[in-house]
Amino acid sequence: MRTVLVTGPGGAGRTTLAATTALAAAAGGRRTLLVSAESIPGFPAGTGPTAVTDRLDHARIDSGTHFRAELTELQERASGVLDLVGAGRLDGEELTELPGSPQLALLHTLHRAAAGDWSTGGYDTLVVDLPPLDQALALLALPEQLRRYLRRLLPAERQAARALRPVLAQLAGVPMPAQWLYEAASRKDEELAAVQALLEDGATTLRLVAEPGPAAEDALRTARTGLALYGLRADLLVASRVLPRHSSDPWFADLAAQQEKCLGHWHEEWAPHVPVHEAPHLGRAPRTADDLAALTVPAPDERGPGRVDDPWWIEEEPGEGGRPSVLAWCLPLPGATKEDLRLVRRGEELLLTVGPFHRIVRVASALRRCTVSGAALTDGVLRVRFTPDPAFWPRTP
């Protein structure tokens, strides 16, 4: 299934672009599902897939309902422990949605898509309206981060008191916490793994939308670094609300000139790898599906760009005795600056921070027998230098 994730700076029209993209995919003959947490003019507001056109369905995310259902299910699974300690149960009606639940609801929606829960609809294309750009990048990095936390906090191979659990359970009369806790962690890891696989799939891309201007230019420049760090791919940058370039009104002419200057920068920085599409200003907010179609955003290609190779690569400088003298682990980080870059080597992991973005990556196997001897950011490429440890690199005769 082709998946298109739509985001952009707040107020740029990302929900409008998501709807327009879905309409374009359906008009091209593809069975399409649009998922959004926001209401869309002319679209039904049901939480389940509801028909918009013959080939387009819309499902709205209800984060409050998802939060209550998740917490109620957790209470049921931990009922033995809660009863043991005399804890009172919470009814669904008294539960108040907590901060962060919309993001978890969206991850759950992506898991449903990855698991094929909507397969009965026979969808060819999934279009997802994500939160604003900074929140979206943090959200898309979350599955990998949460899976790492689960592995560190609850390693499956080290379940506490595994041999004693049956005896303790018999004495207490309830399942011991370790058992249901590890089972819950395993289920969550499977769900997160499915979402991570969907995000890393070659048929999944981001579609960015921004209104040309200095603030959007800064936001997109920062986003380019985050996309590269997390290994995400963009297939289109849509410039929204583009004004006519020729106007007799000096005020409008000045705004159009500012937009044109920004668009020139975007064409230089993003194209040809990411095309830039200019969507005209309608003079008002879109009110109907016809207004959305008038934006003429291109439909996503059917297959996507395909799975890309690992963006990291290794450069080698040969030394004496057949051993390399220096190995450089390289990663493109367009838009990054040296002032925003921080690196920490811890065991077999590299903790990498670039501005607001943070990622922990496992060091390539060939580099685990080396020590970090330096790093440099040159021409948008980060090179982490590793020096082989002679104790682990035997000389060749």
Side-chain angles (χ1 to χ4, degrees), residues 7-27:
T7 185
R14 65 184 188 283
T15 301
T16 297
L17 175 63
T20 304
T21 297
L23 285 168

mmCIF file of all heavy atoms in Angstrom, residues 7-27:
data_model
loop_
_atom_site.group_PDB
_atom_site.id
_atom_site.type_symbol
_atom_site.label_atom_id
_atom_site.label_comp_id
_atom_site.label_asym_id
_atom_site.label_seq_id
_atom_site.Cartn_x
_atom_site.Cartn_y
_atom_site.Cartn_z
ATOM 1 N N THR A 7 2.517 16.859 6.307
ATOM 2 C CA THR A 7 2.772 17.758 7.428
ATOM 3 C C THR A 7 3.350 19.066 6.910
ATOM 4 O O THR A 7 3.671 19.201 5.726
ATOM 5 C CB THR A 7 3.738 17.122 8.448
ATOM 6 O OG1 THR A 7 3.870 17.972 9.583
ATOM 7 C CG2 THR A 7 5.106 16.893 7.832
ATOM 8 N N GLY A 8 3.484 20.014 7.801
ATOM 9 C CA GLY A 8 4.036 21.316 7.461
ATOM 10 C C GLY A 8 3.938 22.226 8.665
ATOM 11 O O GLY A 8 3.335 21.869 9.683
ATOM 12 N N PRO A 9 4.525 23.422 8.604
ATOM 13 C CA PRO A 9 4.416 24.359 9.723
ATOM 14 C C PRO A 9 2.955 24.655 10.047
ATOM 15 O O PRO A 9 2.088 24.609 9.168
ATOM 16 C CB PRO A 9 5.140 25.611 9.208
ATOM 17 C CG PRO A 9 6.073 25.095 8.151
ATOM 18 C CD PRO A 9 5.364 23.939 7.509
ATOM 19 N N GLY A 10 2.680 24.931 11.316
ATOM 20 C CA GLY A 10 1.310 25.200 11.731
ATOM 21 C C GLY A 10 0.665 26.325 10.946
ATOM 22 O O GLY A 10 1.286 27.359 10.711
ATOM 23 N N GLY A 11 -0.563 26.113 10.514
ATOM 24 C CA GLY A 11 -1.289 27.130 9.778
ATOM 25 C C GLY A 11 -0.989 27.197 8.297
ATOM 26 O O GLY A 11 -1.515 28.067 7.589
ATOM 27 N N ALA A 12 -0.167 26.268 7.788
ATOM 28 C CA ALA A 12 0.217 26.307 6.371
ATOM 29 C C ALA A 12 -0.803 25.628 5.476
ATOM 30 O O ALA A 12 -0.740 25.765 4.254
ATOM 31 C CB ALA A 12 1.585 25.661 6.177
ATOM 32 N N GLY A 13 -1.743 24.878 6.071
ATOM 33 C CA GLY A 13 -2.744 24.195 5.268
ATOM 34 C C GLY A 13 -2.458 22.728 5.052
ATOM 35 O O GLY A 13 -2.801 22.181 4.014
ATOM 36 N N ARG A 14 -1.850 22.068 6.043
ATOM 37 C CA ARG A 14 -1.493 20.664 5.850
ATOM 38 C C ARG A 14 -2.733 19.773 5.723
ATOM 39 O O ARG A 14 -2.726 18.817 4.942
ATOM 40 C CB ARG A 14 -0.607 20.187 7.001
ATOM 41 C CG ARG A 14 -1.278 20.163 8.339
ATOM 42 C CD ARG A 14 -0.356 19.774 9.481
ATOM 43 N NE ARG A 14 -1.086 19.580 10.711
ATOM 44 C CZ ARG A 14 -1.545 20.566 11.470
ATOM 45 N NH1 ARG A 14 -1.326 21.816 11.113
ATOM 46 N NH2 ARG A 14 -2.219 20.303 12.579
ATOM 47 N N THR A 15 -3.805 20.063 6.488
ATOM 48 C CA THR A 15 -5.027 19.262 6.375
ATOM 49 C C THR A 15 -5.653 19.438 4.997
ATOM 50 O O THR A 15 -6.128 18.474 4.388
ATOM 51 C CB THR A 15 -6.030 19.657 7.473
ATOM 52 O OG1 THR A 15 -5.431 19.449 8.759
ATOM 53 C CG2 THR A 15 -7.293 18.817 7.384
ATOM 54 N N THR A 16 -5.633 20.659 4.500
ATOM 55 C CA THR A 16 -6.132 20.919 3.144
ATOM 56 C C THR A 16 -5.329 20.136 2.118
ATOM 57 O O THR A 16 -5.891 19.522 1.200
ATOM 58 C CB THR A 16 -6.057 22.429 2.835
ATOM 59 O OG1 THR A 16 -6.912 23.138 3.736
ATOM 60 C CG2 THR A 16 -6.469 22.715 1.404
ATOM 61 N N LEU A 17 -4.003 20.143 2.263
ATOM 62 C CA LEU A 17 -3.159 19.402 1.318
ATOM 63 C C LEU A 17 -3.408 17.897 1.411
ATOM 64 O O LEU A 17 -3.429 17.209 0.389
ATOM 65 C CB LEU A 17 -1.689 19.698 1.591
ATOM 66 C CG LEU A 17 -0.698 18.888 0.747
ATOM 67 C CD1 LEU A 17 -0.852 19.208 -0.734
ATOM 68 C CD2 LEU A 17 0.731 19.111 1.198
ATOM 69 N N ALA A 18 -3.606 17.384 2.625
ATOM 70 C CA ALA A 18 -3.880 15.957 2.775
ATOM 71 C C ALA A 18 -5.158 15.581 2.044
ATOM 72 O O ALA A 18 -5.216 14.571 1.329
ATOM 73 C CB ALA A 18 -3.977 15.599 4.254
ATOM 74 N N ALA A 19 -6.196 16.399 2.209
ATOM 75 C CA ALA A 19 -7.459 16.126 1.530
ATOM 76 C C ALA A 19 -7.310 16.229 0.011
ATOM 77 O O ALA A 19 -7.840 15.401 -0.748
ATOM 78 C CB ALA A 19 -8.530 17.091 2.025
ATOM 79 N N THR A 20 -6.559 17.235 -0.437
ATOM 80 C CA THR A 20 -6.351 17.411 -1.877
ATOM 81 C C THR A 20 -5.556 16.252 -2.462
ATOM 82 O O THR A 20 -5.850 15.762 -3.559
ATOM 83 C CB THR A 20 -5.622 18.741 -2.138
ATOM 84 O OG1 THR A 20 -6.362 19.805 -1.545
ATOM 85 C CG2 THR A 20 -5.484 19.001 -3.615
ATOM 86 N N THR A 21 -4.548 15.787 -1.729
ATOM 87 C CA THR A 21 -3.757 14.642 -2.173
ATOM 88 C C THR A 21 -4.625 13.394 -2.274
ATOM 89 O O THR A 21 -4.523 12.621 -3.243
ATOM 90 C CB THR A 21 -2.596 14.400 -1.204
ATOM 91 O OG1 THR A 21 -1.727 15.536 -1.203
ATOM 92 C CG2 THR A 21 -1.797 13.160 -1.596
ATOM 93 N N ALA A 22 -5.482 13.180 -1.278
ATOM 94 C CA ALA A 22 -6.362 12.016 -1.304
ATOM 95 C C ALA A 22 -7.341 12.083 -2.473
ATOM 96 O O ALA A 22 -7.595 11.075 -3.151
ATOM 97 C CB ALA A 22 -7.118 11.915 0.013
ATOM 98 N N LEU A 23 -7.891 13.276 -2.724
ATOM 99 C CA LEU A 23 -8.805 13.432 -3.863
ATOM 100 C C LEU A 23 -8.092 13.160 -5.185
ATOM 101 O O LEU A 23 -8.644 12.528 -6.088
ATOM 102 C CB LEU A 23 -9.394 14.850 -3.863
ATOM 103 C CG LEU A 23 -10.473 15.144 -2.809
ATOM 104 C CD1 LEU A 23 -10.736 16.645 -2.734
ATOM 105 C CD2 LEU A 23 -11.756 14.392 -3.142
ATOM 106 N N ALA A 24 -6.847 13.640 -5.305
ATOM 107 C CA ALA A 24 -6.090 13.417 -6.536
ATOM 108 C C ALA A 24 -5.793 11.934 -6.740
ATOM 109 O O ALA A 24 -5.874 11.415 -7.866
ATOM 110 C CB ALA A 24 -4.792 14.221 -6.491
ATOM 111 N N ALA A 25 -5.441 11.216 -5.647
ATOM 112 C CA ALA A 25 -5.180 9.785 -5.770
ATOM 113 C C ALA A 25 -6.442 9.041 -6.180
ATOM 114 O O ALA A 25 -6.397 8.130 -7.034
ATOM 115 C CB ALA A 25 -4.651 9.238 -4.444
ATOM 116 N N ALA A 26 -7.586 9.409 -5.587
ATOM 117 C CA ALA A 26 -8.844 8.744 -5.938
ATOM 118 C C ALA A 26 -9.251 9.058 -7.374
ATOM 119 O O ALA A 26 -9.748 8.178 -8.096
ATOM 120 C CB ALA A 26 -9.938 9.179 -4.965
ATOM 121 N N ALA A 27 -9.035 10.302 -7.803
ATOM 122 C CA ALA A 27 -9.363 10.678 -9.176
ATOM 123 C C ALA A 27 -8.520 9.906 -10.185
ATOM 124 O O ALA A 27 -8.942 9.694 -11.331
ATOM 125 C CB ALA A 27 -9.179 12.175 -9.375
#
